[in-house]
Amino acid sequence: EPEVTQTPSHQVTQMGQEVILRCVPISNHLYFYWYRQILGQKVEFLVSFYNNEISEKSEIFDDQFSVERPDGSNFTLKIRSTKLEDSAMYFCASSEVRESGELFFGEGSRLTVL
Amino acid sequence: QKEVEQNSGPLSVPEGAIASLNCTYSDRGSQSFFWYRQYSGKSPELIMFIYSNGDKEDGRFTAQLNKASQYVSLLIRDSQPSDSATYLCAVHSGGGADGLTFGKGTHLIIQP
């Protein structure tokens, strides 16, 4: 069964460092997303991406965040200067259809900022 | 501010019984509604979606939607221990928006 894969599964970094989280969406999906979940909290939308540009971003997705599809398979989330409050599980998701809530999530990348 | 509210639980249900999970949402213009299951430490997994008022059944799961009351529910029949998880209600507002608004989830425990 096709799946969304994410790397790394866990990353520990120092405050102020740059982090790149990587995702390989399902191959025939065209819409890509990043969500995050702070421990014990709700899943929160960060950004959606289609046709090599951001479709929508939330208030959380400020200037320290960026997304990129550097090649035909990878989809990345970069956090330029990490803060303690960026510690969370980051989920990549993809869908076949735009404006669809039928998302396929990856297993997540746990980011710990010290 | 779009809100999705769920009782966090835990909701404890005996094996074989019906588990009933509820969700309310604040945005009256919301278009589509989703139930995701999340096991501890894992990612959300879509189990049901519903777009129209009424009931939608898929195996042991039934989703119910009442847009007038801004209320969504999920029934799980013949509950199994493997159904023990956190169930996340998610709402999509449509109208060009991509992101889902999730509730905090209801922790369901099925007692063998």
Side-chain angles (χ1 to χ4, degrees), chain B residues 11-21 37 59-62 74-85 87 108-112:
Chain B
L11 174 65
S12 188
V13 173
E15 183 176 356
I18 296 175
S20 177
L21 305 164
R37 178 176 61 201
R60 295 188 296 112
F61 299 97
T62 299
L74 179 70
L75 301 178
I76 307 174
R77 288 182 298 282
D78 187 23
S79 298
Q80 303 296 309
S82 58
D83 295 327
S84 297
Y87 288 80
L108 175 66
I109 298 171
I110 305 301
Q111 296 175 320

Side-chain angles (χ1 to χ4, degrees), chain B residues 20-67:
Chain B
S20 177
L21 305 164
N22 305 314
C23 168
T24 59
Y25 59 94
S26 64
D27 182 6
R28 186 168 287 278
S30 297
Q31 299 288 310
S32 47
F33 308 86
F34 304 84
W35 285 99
Y36 283 81
R37 178 176 61 201
Q38 187 175 31
Y39 293 113
S40 180
K42 300 295 186 182
S43 59
E45 174 191 12
L46 179 66
I47 54 172
M48 285 287 293
F49 57 88
I50 186 166
Y51 300 147
S52 304
N53 276 331
D55 294 0
K56 179 182 177 183
E57 187 174 317
D58 184 1
R60 295 188 296 112
F61 299 97
T62 299
Q64 300 174 316
L65 173 62
N66 183 328
K67 288 187 177 181

Side-chain angles (χ1 to χ4, degrees), chain A residues 87-104:
Chain A
S87 294
M89 181 73 90
Y90 288 81
F91 293 111
C92 176
S94 67
S95 66
E96 283 188 273
V97 179
R98 192 182 177 190
E99 296 182 30
S100 169
E102 298 172 46
L103 304 180
F104 292 80

